Amino acid sequence: MKDSGVPWLGEVPAHWEINRLKSISPQITVGIVVEPSKYYVGSGVPALRSLNVAPGRVIEDNFVFISAESNDLLSKSRLRAGDLVSVRSGQTGTTAVVPENLNGCNCIDLIIIRKPRDDSEQFLCWFLGSDAAIQQFSSGSGGAIQQHFNIGTAMNLQIARPPRKEQDAIVKFLEIESDKIESLHRASEHSINLLQERRSALIAAAVTGQIDVRGLY
């Protein structure tokens, strides 16, 4: 291990590099920010908004749409599969990778991190959701998180960068372990729902006299 030189990263494996995001991604830009609603149409090319970005995934629901002509006009913010999008306001820094089925769509008021040249976009997405990255969104005032994630901050994020094979191995490990946790989460929610139903049924039975509690206490 070695000292990364970055307080919020601490020690990292000695052979890992520490690079700024702008040296990993070929371009960091922003989606449509000036009167995006004037481009809206009933159907056409999907345009992602912050509500479509969850940690590690795009929520393919509640899209707004722009025309193909507007998409060509706004080609600067057109997305390609493997690009990353990050929320600028609210859930600051929340990041997802653009999937294949949304290749060519557009986005509104999101930070766009173009697909890395030599690195795993999935690894980068996991890193941007980690405490090591979230600490870098801090304003430095009482540890409060910034309410607005800007291009300058994004470009200068310091990234712990293992070799590509290790990135892929880390991604595989996290996907397997996260699936296990998600399964436990679903099972817990199911148990909670059953217990809530049991509680409601028990209350109803008690207050309507279906259960005789005389002499129990």
Side-chain angles (χ1 to χ4, degrees):
M1 304 294 286
K2 67 178 180 182
D3 185 355
S4 67
V6 182
W8 46 80
L9 289 181
E11 290 190 335
V12 297
H15 62 288
W16 286 23
E17 297 178 5
I18 305 297
N19 296 126
R20 295 193 184 276
L21 184 57
K22 63 185 176 183
S23 69
I24 296 173
S25 170
Q27 184 188 35
I28 300 171
T29 185
V30 68
I32 307 165
V33 293
V34 179
E35 295 185 75
S37 60
K38 72 181 182 181
Y39 300 106
Y40 291 179
V41 294
S43 62
V45 178
L48 307 185
R49 298 174 291 168
S50 58
L51 60 81
N52 298 117
V53 182
R57 66 187 181 92
V58 172
I59 300 171
E60 299 185 31
D61 194 15
N62 293 317
F63 287 139
V64 294
F65 300 92
I66 63 175
S67 67
E69 292 76 17
S70 295
N71 198 34
D72 289 337
L73 177 67
L74 301 164
S75 59
K76 173 179 171 287
S77 54
R78 183 186 293 156
L79 301 172
R80 297 181 287 274
D83 288 344
L84 296 94
V85 285
S86 292
V87 175
R88 297 180 74 203
S89 302
Q91 297 296 319
T92 310
T94 302
T95 303
V97 177
V98 177
E100 287 286 346
N101 64 302
L102 290 175
N103 185 59
C105 70
N106 216 299
C107 71
I108 295 163
D109 200 27
L110 298 173
I111 293 286
I112 301 167
I113 302 164
R114 296 298 182 190
K115 183 176 180 177
R117 299 180 185 91
D118 304 310
D119 296 75
S120 164
E121 62 270 21
Q122 297 293 342
F123 173 81
L124 186 55
C125 186
W126 280 109
F127 187 91
L128 292 174
S130 72
D131 286 346
I134 292 169
Q135 286 288 334
Q136 297 182 65
F137 307 152
S138 172
S139 65
S141 175
I145 300 301
Q146 292 186 98
Q147 296 303 306
H148 199 68
F149 184 28
N150 58 47
I151 293 177
T153 302
M155 292 178 71
N156 289 296
L157 287 174
Q158 293 178 296
I159 310 295
R161 189 183 184 195
R164 178 60 191 260
K165 285 186 178 180
E166 285 186 54
Q167 292 182 27
D168 293 339
I170 290 168
V171 168
K172 184 175 181 180
F173 168 80
L174 288 172
E175 287 176 345
I176 291 170
E177 295 303 312
S178 293
D179 284 347
K180 291 178 183 177
I181 293 170
E182 184 59 32
S183 294
L184 288 171
H185 182 230
R186 287 195 297 268
S188 297
E189 284 191 330
H190 180 64
S191 296
I192 289 169
N193 289 335
L194 289 177
L195 288 169
Q196 288 175 336
E197 289 174 8
R198 171 61 179 163
R199 179 176 180 272
S200 296
L202 189 63
I203 291 169
V207 300
T208 58
Q210 297 173 49
I211 297 175
D212 187 354
V213 300
R214 291 174 298 177
L216 291 179
Y217 300 98

